[in-house]
Amino acid sequence: MARSPSSPAFWRSPLRGPWFTSVLGVVLLAGVTVLFVTGLLSYAAYNPNLSPVNDKTGDKGILGFYLFAWPTDPHWLYRLTQGVHVTLGIALVPVVLAKLWSVVPRLFQLPPARSLTHALERVSLLLLVGGVLFEFVTGLLNIQLDYVFPGSFYPLHFYGAWVFFAAFGVHVVLRAPTAVRNLRRMRGSGEEERAGDGKAGSRPAATEAVPLPVSAEEPSLVAPDPAEPTVSRRGAVVLVGGGSLLLLATSAGQNFDGPLRRTALLAPHGGAEPGSGPGGFQINKTAASRGIDPAETSEDAWRLTVTGPSGTVRLSRAQLLELPLHSAALPIACVEGWSTSDQWWRGVRLRDLAALVGYEPGAAPDVLVESLQRRGAFRRAALRDNQVRDARSLLALDVNGEPLTPDHGHPARIIVPAAPGVLNTKWVARLTFGDL
């Protein structure tokens, strides 16, 4: 039976044990909770309750219970929450892999269930393993802009997160007392220090060389006949932590401009800026990739259509430049976790455009924004009334003192404080004001 994964003798690594598993579990308890909260905030930032065009998970039902109107202050809010979400998720990859490795013998235990509690734990463990792999794989693919999975990333990642976190919650309830008990026992007895810490080739101490079940029906993760160790458990924890720090150091820089961005070696938006001059900052989609024809954005051809209760007006770029212009310093922050520093935008306030079509000052409603782009999930996007009324929300015409470049949305684009990048629509063609 030692040849079968269901046999304890099959798993001979001396690193597995309650201390190692519990340390990783405590780290993931904190880290995954932060990931879940920041992920929910990211979803709320899209204002999915505002309009069907923003909601890519239309049948979410009660899972949208917490949604609220996404604020515009502080203007760096989404940059912070999504930057933490993505960067922390990348940094936790070694911890997740080490945790899965540490508990893999439990996936092969026979019989499958010894009691109702044990059956619940096994089911939660299977959902937990499947959920964490699904969430991290789809998240990492999205960060790398590799959309090889079937369907849209948004509903897949959203529903996968709820399945994963439900299993995670059940698992924490069932296993937290054991993890705390293991850590207290190990700390109190100094067992790790007696287990040949730092000496390659030494045998574990006796207390770690025998199974330490937490109940009569639960086998221990400790190998009954461990192989010779080449690293201590503490050394393994240091190795996992070092891997996390390395991933952190090579990805976090995509949230900063200048030399720090060059350190983001593993991120698509790391390295050098895509250009120089006023428009030389990061973009996600080029005008060519979205099917924008230069002929339709020329001064003669392009017109902005603005619709409201008093009718419709059509404005050229030259006419927009004759309206009162205002400036705002705002970043671009995207769901993939990258962002820019504040850029100086200049254009017409959205609330002033609402006033052109019949709304009183300070009473601007929601707005539906439509782009010239031919394809893409967010070629149409809705903004909530609080976003429209913010004095920093602009139909931007210039950036950093120069007209927008084609890739930054020429002839006009939306820029709104604290909004996800996809809601800062480029190549705007139509604005329809009204309650959505």
Side-chain angles (χ1 to χ4, degrees), residues 50-348:
L50 173 62
S51 170
V53 302
N54 284 22
D55 193 0
K56 306 307 175 185
T57 55
D59 54 351
K60 60 185 179 298
I62 62 171
L63 297 182
F65 68 92
Y66 72 96
L67 292 174
F68 53 92
W70 187 251
T72 56
D73 280 309
H75 71 277
W76 40 259
L77 179 60
Y78 187 76
R79 184 184 185 192
L80 173 66
T81 59
Q82 192 61 13
V84 169
H85 182 75
V86 170
T87 305
L88 178 60
I90 294 173
L92 284 178
V93 167
V95 184
V96 169
L97 295 178
K99 174 68 172 178
L100 293 178
W101 174 87
S102 73
V103 299
V104 70
R106 288 211 169 113
L107 297 178
F108 297 92
Q109 285 179 6
L110 294 176
R114 300 180 179 87
S115 66
L116 178 59
T117 301
H118 187 247
L120 286 174
E121 183 190 341
R122 294 300 299 277
V123 171
S124 72
L125 183 62
L126 290 174
L127 291 175
L128 191 65
V129 171
V132 73
L133 290 175
F134 180 84
E135 286 298 285
F136 273 78
V137 169
T138 55
L140 291 172
L141 288 173
N142 182 64
I143 293 167
Q144 296 296 326
L145 308 178
D146 291 328
Y147 302 109
V148 297
F149 36 78
S152 170
F153 166 76
Y154 299 95
L156 289 174
H157 205 64
F158 176 78
Y159 293 121
W162 278 106
V163 171
F164 164 65
F165 202 76
F168 182 75
V170 171
H171 194 73
V172 167
V173 169
L174 294 174
R175 300 300 302 174
T178 300
V180 172
R181 188 163 54 246
N182 285 334
L183 290 173
R184 285 177 176 174
R185 184 173 62 224
M186 299 304 178
R187 185 171 60 246
S189 64
E191 179 177 277
E192 184 63 17
E193 283 75 17
R194 298 198 302 269
D197 186 28
K199 296 180 180 179
S202 61
R203 299 288 293 185
T207 52
E208 281 286 300
V210 296
L212 292 172
V214 297
S215 69
E217 66 176 21
E218 181 181 336
S220 171
L221 287 172
V222 177
D225 182 25
E228 290 290 336
T230 57
V231 66
S232 68
R233 290 187 179 89
R234 182 168 295 174
V237 169
V238 171
L239 183 64
V240 172
S244 291
L245 289 176
L246 179 62
L247 289 177
L248 178 67
T250 53
S251 59
Q254 66 174 334
N255 292 288
F256 304 93
D257 293 338
L260 281 177
R261 189 176 294 276
R262 295 178 179 272
T263 66
L265 303 176
L266 300 181
H269 290 275
E273 297 291 356
S276 59
F281 56 93
Q282 298 292 319
I283 58 171
N284 228 7
K285 301 293 189 297
T286 65
S289 71
R290 299 298 94 183
I292 304 300
D293 186 347
E296 62 186 338
T297 61
S298 67
E299 288 286 343
D300 293 335
W302 182 83
R303 295 293 184 271
L304 173 70
T305 302
V306 185
T307 301
S310 66
T312 298
V313 298
R314 300 181 75 242
L315 301 166
S316 67
R317 182 179 163 89
Q319 290 171 317
L320 286 168
L321 288 170
E322 292 175 357
L323 297 175
L325 300 179
H326 301 272
S327 297
L330 299 172
I332 295 289
C334 279
V335 68
E336 294 89 2
W338 66 270
S339 60
T340 72
S341 60
D342 290 353
Q343 310 295 325
W344 277 99
W345 307 90
R346 189 179 72 131
V348 182

Side-chain angles (χ1 to χ4, degrees), residues 386-412:
N386 68 307
Q387 295 173 310
V388 174
R389 288 195 291 267
D390 193 293
R392 297 162 296 178
S393 296
L394 305 175
L395 178 75
L397 305 171
D398 301 338
V399 62
N400 297 325
E402 295 289 341
L404 294 170
T405 64
D407 289 343
H408 282 302
H410 178 83

